[in-house]
Amino acid sequence: MNSPIALLVIGIFVVMALWYFRMAWVHGSGISAAVLSVDGQPLFMPSRLATVAVGIRLLAFATLMTATSEVVTVVLPQALLRGLSFALATGLFTRNR
């Protein structure tokens, strides 16, 4: 099931992770644009560790998608991988509702 859509999703997760890692290490690289703001003032300023944690989580999502789409072979059952992918999609879909 190594589809172009799966590869696109994997690529998007990797690019997003790299963007978060860049925000964590390069001062003034757009982190204020990534957080909620009121009247131009950010509501909070995430720490470097929190920003890196988001990047690591996005890489984990890319890894899950890689295993689910069978780009790489893993020992976990495909049904478990599909269930985890469904949970990820549900979580991302309902996150801002």
Side-chain angles (χ1 to χ4, degrees), residues 10-66:
I10 293 164
I12 289 170
F13 278 132
V14 170
V15 168
M16 288 173 53
L18 293 174
W19 182 63
Y20 272 87
F21 291 141
R22 181 180 185 279
M23 284 193 303
W25 276 287
V26 178
H27 180 70
S29 65
I31 198 162
S32 61
V35 298
L36 296 174
S37 63
V38 174
D39 297 327
Q41 297 296 322
L43 293 178
F44 68 97
M45 191 56 84
S47 68
R48 180 174 285 176
L49 180 62
T51 306
V52 169
V54 172
I56 291 170
R57 192 171 302 136
L58 288 166
L59 284 179
F61 294 164
T63 303
L64 174 62
M65 292 305 302
T66 302

Side-chain angles (χ1 to χ4, degrees), residues 9 13 16 57-58 61 65 85-97:
V9 170
F13 278 132
M16 288 173 53
R57 192 171 302 136
L58 288 166
F61 294 164
M65 292 305 302
S85 293
F86 181 77
L88 169 62
T90 302
L92 291 174
F93 182 74
T94 61
R95 183 177 142 240
N96 290 324
R97 293 190 174 241

Side-chain angles (χ1 to χ4, degrees), residues 73-84:
T73 305
V74 294
V75 295
L76 296 173
Q78 194 65 23
L80 174 64
L81 293 172
R82 281 193 305 268
L84 290 171

